[in-house]
């Protein structure tokens, strides 16, 4: 039998995935196909970057709410931090590893180079990452609501934030196209 707190945690984890916008799911599938099947990479640096997108989101919230909430600023700061740490560890496909090594040198933050395509991959990993964080159920639900709001913002600006096609040359890929 699964303990009650585990059931609650699982149900709150699935909240993010169950409300994941369909158009963004398609974006993820297209992203996977471009990189893994066609050997095409996102041309870096991206515009807007993850930093730029999160800043635009905060500006959007300020316009909508006439103020910036501390929790909103905290969530975007945390997302940026998670992104910078998670990108090399779990958000890149094998064919993108060489490109990462070429682009991210010294103290360059991935969030200042990568864009919406890779940020979206983080949202898929977040339920798994959040499950290991010791957080009150109420706080976790509030966090997930804010993350869903950011996802909806990405969806609303999908045409502006995401590429419709990737770089033809697979610079940085292992050279094996269609593998």
């Amino acid at each position: 039998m699964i303990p009650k707190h585990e059931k609650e945690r699982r149900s709150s984890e699935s909240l993010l995935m169950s409300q994941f916008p369909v158009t963004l799911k398609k974006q993820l599938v297209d992203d996977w196909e471009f990189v893994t099947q066609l050997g095409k990479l996102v041309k870096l640096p991206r515009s807007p970057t993850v930093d730029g997108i999160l800043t635009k989101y905060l500006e959007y919230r300020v316009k909508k709410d006439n103020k910036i909430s501390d929790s909103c600023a905290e969530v975007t700061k945390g997302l940026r931090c998670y992104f910078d740490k998670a990108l090399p560890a779990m958000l890149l496909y094998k064919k993108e590893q060489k490109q990462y090594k070429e682009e991210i040198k010294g103290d360059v933050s991935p969030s200042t180079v990568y864009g919406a395509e890779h940020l979206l991959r983080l949202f898929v990993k977040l339920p798994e990452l959040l499950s290991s964080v010791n957080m009150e159920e109420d706080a976790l639900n509030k966090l997930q609501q804010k993350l869903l709001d950011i996802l909806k913002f990405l969806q609303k600006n999908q045409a502006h934030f995401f590429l419709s096609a990737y770089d033809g040359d697979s610079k940085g890929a292992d050279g094996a196209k269609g593998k």
Side-chain angles (χ1 to χ4, degrees):
M1 195 161 119
I2 300 170
K4 183 178 181 242
H5 70 280
E6 280 298 313
K7 279 185 189 168
E8 287 172 358
R9 184 162 293 265
R10 284 195 187 135
S11 68
S12 66
E13 282 174 33
S14 63
L15 174 71
L16 193 59
M17 292 318 290
S18 68
Q19 295 185 30
F20 208 95
V22 174
T23 56
L24 293 181
K25 283 182 182 175
K26 184 186 179 328
Q27 188 79 46
L28 279 166
V29 171
D30 290 348
D31 173 54
W32 174 84
E33 214 167 79
F34 275 124
V35 178
T36 65
Q37 305 302 298
L38 303 173
K40 296 181 178 197
L41 303 180
V42 172
K43 191 168 174 21
L44 299 176
R46 278 289 284 121
S47 180
T49 62
V50 170
D51 267 353
I53 291 168
L54 294 176
T55 300
K56 281 177 176 39
Y57 172 73
L58 283 177
E59 290 166 358
Y60 157 78
R61 289 301 332 164
V62 167
K63 225 178 262 179
K64 199 169 178 184
D65 306 336
N66 291 324
K67 66 182 171 73
I68 185 150
S69 73
D70 289 344
S71 61
C72 205
E74 199 60 35
V75 168
T76 56
K77 184 180 170 192
L79 259 181
R80 187 178 287 114
C81 194
Y82 260 113
F83 180 83
D84 286 340
K85 298 274 188 256
L87 183 80
M90 61 174 56
L91 302 181
L92 295 174
Y93 295 115
K94 189 176 185 216
K95 294 181 179 192
E96 296 172 309
Q97 295 289 340
K98 184 177 174 202
Q99 182 190 40
Y100 172 82
K101 287 179 184 127
E102 291 168 358
E103 295 289 334
I104 307 298
K105 291 188 165 92
D107 58 357
V108 174
S109 295
S111 57
T112 63
V113 176
Y114 286 82
E117 296 77 15
H118 291 83
L119 178 60
L120 195 56
R121 294 181 198 174
L122 176 64
F123 276 89
V124 174
K125 297 286 187 182
L126 277 175
E128 175 189 328
L129 294 170
L130 290 174
S131 69
S132 62
V133 175
N134 191 12
M135 193 183 289
E136 292 284 321
E137 193 66 26
D138 187 46
L140 187 62
N141 286 333
K142 284 180 181 161
L143 173 61
Q144 294 211 25
Q145 290 306 323
K146 286 194 176 13
L147 293 172
L148 282 170
D149 192 53
I150 296 170
L151 270 177
K152 288 175 183 152
F153 176 75
L154 285 173
Q155 181 184 30
K156 200 165 120 178
N157 295 283
Q158 193 167 358
H160 178 67
F161 289 163
F162 291 90
L163 293 171
S164 54
Y166 290 16
D167 207 5
D169 75 6
S170 56
K171 178 181 178 257
D174 60 11
K177 292 185 191 271
K179 204 173 191 183

